[in-house]
Amino acid sequence: KQEVTQIPAALSVPEGENLVLNCSFTDSAIYNLQWFRQDPGKGLTSLLLIQSSQREQTSGRLNASLDKSSGRSTLYIAASQPGDSATYLCAVDPSNYQLIWGAGTKLIIKP
Amino acid sequence: NAGVTQTPKFQVLKTGQSMTLQCAQDMNHEYMSWYRQDPGMGLRLIHYSVGAGITDQGEVPNGYNVSRSTTEDFPLRLLSAAPSQTSVYFCASSSRSAPPLDTQYFGPGTRLTVL
């Protein structure tokens, strides 16, 4: 059974630092992997989607990588800002539309 | 485009009551789904649909019903509310045929409390 884990559960860093969020999954047979952002009391916003044939995706200061063989994905945030404070979730799509979710990493960027 | 809309935003029910959470999308997405989110846990899939007239169960379907009579609407019905159904409910949609492929769009959520 596919399981998705995100470590750490919470992270606090000073503004301006580059940081990496981790997502691991137990079954490498995935269709895609997605990273989302969730602000308190709000819905989820898709940040990056990596198809199984891709190694990475970039959007602005965000870069997500995928290594299926090791069951890992990382979300790299460059030059962090207070506005980046949110909970970041990753989800794996095994191709049957039934996404499997990590519990998220709560990120706090201190001014 | 309004994207994915959900109503109501907040709801309080008594044990045993029934209600319907509404979800609509205006992006002509074929895929729609319902999730619940509980503190400290990832989202869990309740039911999903790959097109009008087609629905299937997710990880936690018990106590919930869905139907999909149109592409746009995907209501979630709580048959007899229980305190264990206190949660935040999210509806999402995506397309596997139109770009951006597979990107999930979420509604703002419904915060449900069952007393």
Side-chain angles (χ1 to χ4, degrees):
Chain A
K1 178 184 175 184
Q2 179 73 272
E3 293 182 359
V4 179
T5 304
Q6 292 185 249
I7 295 174
L11 181 64
S12 179
V13 300
E15 178 179 5
E17 281 200 4
N18 302 325
L19 57 99
V20 174
L21 305 182
N22 296 297
C23 174
S24 61
F25 47 95
T26 55
D27 188 342
S28 62
I30 65 172
Y31 184 74
N32 65 49
L33 183 145
Q34 304 182 48
W35 283 93
F36 295 84
R37 169 184 174 138
Q38 185 175 28
D39 294 287
K42 302 288 181 62
L44 285 75
T45 301
S46 178
L47 296 173
L48 291 165
L49 183 153
I50 312 175
Q51 300 288 358
S52 63
S53 59
Q54 298 173 323
R55 297 282 295 184
E56 66 177 348
Q57 283 287 336
T58 298
S59 176
R61 295 182 293 109
L62 305 180
N63 175 276
S65 67
L66 174 65
D67 184 343
K68 287 197 307 178
S69 62
S70 66
R72 295 186 64 183
S73 176
T74 61
L75 178 66
Y76 175 82
I77 303 176
S80 58
Q81 304 170 357
D84 295 329
S85 298
T87 296
Y88 291 81
L89 299 102
C90 70
V92 167
D93 184 349
S95 85
N96 61 359
Y97 296 99
Q98 299 189 44
L99 271 66
I100 311 297
W101 294 77
T105 294
K106 183 176 182 179
L107 177 64
I108 297 174
I109 307 297
K110 298 174 290 186
Chain B
N1 284 353
V4 180
T5 58
Q6 290 183 238
T7 56
K9 291 186 177 180
F10 300 94
Q11 183 70 50
V12 179
L13 293 178
K14 295 181 179 179
T15 297
Q17 289 184 317
S18 63
M19 77 160 296
T20 299
L21 307 185
Q22 301 291 344
C23 175
Q25 52 93 8
D26 62 358
M27 297 171 283
N28 201 34
H29 286 169
E30 67 271 22
Y31 174 71
M32 297 185 73
S33 56
W34 276 102
Y35 293 94
R36 60 178 288 172
Q37 185 177 35
D38 300 297
M41 301 181 66
L43 277 72
R44 290 184 292 169
L45 183 65
I46 304 171
H47 285 284
Y48 66 100
S49 169
V50 299
I54 306 170
T55 63
D56 207 345
Q57 297 180 353
E59 180 185 357
V60 289
N62 292 342
Y64 308 94
N65 269 358
V66 293
S67 60
R68 183 113 179 255
S69 57
T70 67
T71 299
E72 293 78 19
D73 300 300
F74 191 44
L76 177 71
R77 282 182 288 277
L78 279 70
L79 308 174
S80 177
S84 61
Q85 294 179 303
T86 294
S87 188
V88 181
Y89 291 84
F90 289 103
C91 179
S93 74
S94 66
S95 175
R96 201 152 273 187
S97 60
L101 296 179
D102 301 315
T103 296
Q104 297 272 331
Y105 291 84
F106 279 80
T110 295
R111 190 173 296 272
L112 175 68
T113 301
V114 182
L115 303 175

